[in-house]
């Protein structure tokens, strides 16, 4: 394979870097600072919610760039997925982990929005919360798990991305294609 895919790979990698780094910084730095400076649970929730809300559009753009780049890489490497032993399996694993990271990200956002509304000082938001009551303690516990799941899952994607990079080495491609052909011949 002699073609370069710098732009597609850059979208994929920079998007993943922002998704991973932002979620890790938020779980450690933003949430920790909100707990340390907030004083009360409600104030801490408002501080954290404000920070996460400011990050949400950047995070959405990062995820979009990662997914667009991932789709592009899959398209340009479809022949390797089909012919090189091990690439289809690692691609399936990466797809599954990506889906789990997307689900954890969405779930964290939903929980965060519920907590934001419940801890708001705005009377309109209190009315919304009254129509859809939230168990704040349960939502906070679930949010803590979800916010740690995102950097854990995106960290797994970084490792799988490294594996895909190793699989693209010429010697690995040749060996993988040879093994795939040998396996097909035996059947």
């Amino acid at each position: 394979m002699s073609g370069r895919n710098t732009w597609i790979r850059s979208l994929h990698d920079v998007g993943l870097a922002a998704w991973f780094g932002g979620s890790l910084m938020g779980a450690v730095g933003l949430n920790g600072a909100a707990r340390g400076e907030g004083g009360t649970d409600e104030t801490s929730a408002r501080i954290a919610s404000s920070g996460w809300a400011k990050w949400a559009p950047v995070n959405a753009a990062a995820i979009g760039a990662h997914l667009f780049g991932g789709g592009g890489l899959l398209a340009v490497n479809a022949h390797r997925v089909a012919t090189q032993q091990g690439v289809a399996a690692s691609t399936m694993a990466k797809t599954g982990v990506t889906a789990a990271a997307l689900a954890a990200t969405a779930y964290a956002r939903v929980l965060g929005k519920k907590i934001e509304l419940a801890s708001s000082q705005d009377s309109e938001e209190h009315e919304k919360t009254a129509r859809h009551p939230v168990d704040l303690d349960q939502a906070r516990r679930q949010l803590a798990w979800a916010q740690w799941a995102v950097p854990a899952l995106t960290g797994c994607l970084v490792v799988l991305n490294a594996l895909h990079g190793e699989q693209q080495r010429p010697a690995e491609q040749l060996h993988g294609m040879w093994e795939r052909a040998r396996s097909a011949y035996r059947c």
Side-chain angles (χ1 to χ4, degrees), residues 86-130:
V87 176
S90 62
T91 299
M92 293 295 287
K94 193 170 175 185
T95 301
V97 174
T98 300
L102 286 168
T105 300
Y107 188 57
R109 182 65 184 135
V110 167
L111 290 170
K113 194 67 178 168
K114 286 181 180 181
I115 293 168
E116 178 184 340
L117 290 173
S119 62
S120 174
Q121 295 176 333
D122 185 350
S123 60
E124 287 181 26
E125 290 180 352
H126 274 285
E127 289 175 23
K128 289 179 187 176
T129 305

Side-chain angles (χ1 to χ4, degrees), residues 7-176:
W7 288 108
I8 292 170
R9 190 174 306 281
S10 295
L11 284 171
H12 175 269
D13 293 354
V14 170
L16 178 56
W19 190 9
F20 169 72
S23 65
L24 185 59
M25 190 290 301
V28 175
L30 177 59
N31 290 348
R35 276 190 305 277
E37 298 297 319
T40 67
D41 284 343
E42 280 190 359
T43 305
S44 295
R46 278 196 303 277
I47 292 169
S49 292
S50 176
W52 282 109
K54 289 180 186 328
W55 173 248
V58 176
N59 196 41
I63 293 168
H66 173 69
L67 295 175
F68 184 82
L73 286 174
L74 183 58
V76 299
N77 288 297
H79 68 283
R80 287 186 47 248
V81 174
T83 61
Q84 184 180 346
Q85 188 173 26
V87 176
S90 62
T91 299
M92 293 295 287
K94 193 170 175 185
T95 301
V97 174
T98 300
L102 286 168
T105 300
Y107 188 57
R109 182 65 184 135
V110 167
L111 290 170
K113 194 67 178 168
K114 286 181 180 181
I115 293 168
E116 178 184 340
L117 290 173
S119 62
S120 174
Q121 295 176 333
D122 185 350
S123 60
E124 287 181 26
E125 290 180 352
H126 274 285
E127 289 175 23
K128 289 179 187 176
T129 305
R131 286 190 300 255
H132 306 285
V134 174
D135 180 345
L136 273 177
D137 289 334
Q138 180 182 359
R140 285 184 181 121
R141 280 191 307 276
Q142 291 172 340
L143 180 60
W145 280 102
Q147 285 179 333
W148 280 105
V150 176
L153 290 165
T154 53
C156 288
L157 288 174
V158 170
V159 172
L160 287 167
N161 194 38
L163 172 63
H164 274 203
E166 291 296 314
Q167 289 174 330
Q168 284 188 310
R169 292 175 181 233
E172 286 290 319
Q173 286 186 40
L174 187 61
H175 176 73

